[in-house]
Amino acid sequence: MKLFLMSAVLIGSLWWSPSHHKFEKTLNEQVQKSPATIDLTSLAEFKWDKAYVFGPYTSKEALNAQLGVKFPGVINMERRDDMYLFVFLYKKKVIEYAQVNRLGINISLDRTYLTPRHSSFMVTSGRIQH
């Protein structure tokens, strides 16, 4: 029981922390300022080595398979068409995520994931191009 409670507190601190909401808000603001070049390393105040972007209707199974680890949050992407989900990993652990409003935005990447070395993308006419 103690282990369960400790896990719940740890996961809760990640998903509902003020820094999480600050990052998510900042990312959404930057995406909506098209045209713009967005560099995830300049926005993220945390260590990460991979960032994945998931589109609408992505199942939890597909999300977990792509990440290679279990996503600890409850997002219900398979039923949502109003957002994209950015998931950040560090040393094969989910350390942050951000829901990005997809109003007028289409995201397409030419790679499976972003890294701190390759973290910039352009937002033009509501479409992100990498």
Side-chain angles (χ1 to χ4, degrees):
M1 183 67 170
K2 274 187 177 179
L3 182 60
F4 173 76
L5 289 174
M6 289 172 46
S7 297
V9 169
L10 179 62
I11 289 170
S13 66
L14 170 66
W15 304 126
W16 294 290
S17 71
S19 63
H20 162 74
H21 292 293
K22 177 184 171 190
F23 173 72
E24 185 173 76
K25 180 180 177 188
T26 301
L27 181 57
N28 271 283
E29 288 170 352
Q30 293 301 310
V31 167
Q32 297 304 322
K33 289 182 182 178
S34 68
T37 300
I38 299 173
D39 179 8
L40 290 177
T41 57
S42 69
L43 299 178
E45 297 177 355
F46 50 86
K47 287 185 178 183
W48 61 281
D49 50 23
K50 291 183 181 178
Y52 292 86
V53 181
F54 297 96
Y57 308 116
T58 302
S59 71
K60 181 97 175 195
E61 293 78 18
L63 191 144
N64 289 337
Q66 185 77 29
L67 293 174
V69 297
K70 185 175 179 182
F71 182 75
V74 178
I75 300 295
N76 293 324
M77 287 289 294
E78 60 272 353
R79 297 178 186 196
R80 304 212 36 198
D81 67 355
D82 62 333
M83 69 168 186
Y84 287 99
L85 181 67
F86 283 68
V87 180
F88 294 82
L89 279 73
Y90 184 65
K91 295 184 179 182
K92 298 184 181 182
K93 293 183 181 178
V94 175
I95 51 96
E96 184 65 272
Y97 80 95
Q99 297 177 49
V100 174
N101 185 336
R102 68 177 284 257
L103 179 64
I105 295 171
N106 292 307
I107 297 177
S108 61
L109 303 173
D110 64 354
R111 53 179 50 109
T112 307
Y113 55 85
L114 300 170
T115 66
R117 276 187 76 164
H118 302 285
S119 64
S120 295
F121 51 89
M122 283 290 300
V123 180
T124 57
S125 303
R127 181 185 173 99
I128 296 178
Q129 299 174 341
H130 185 71

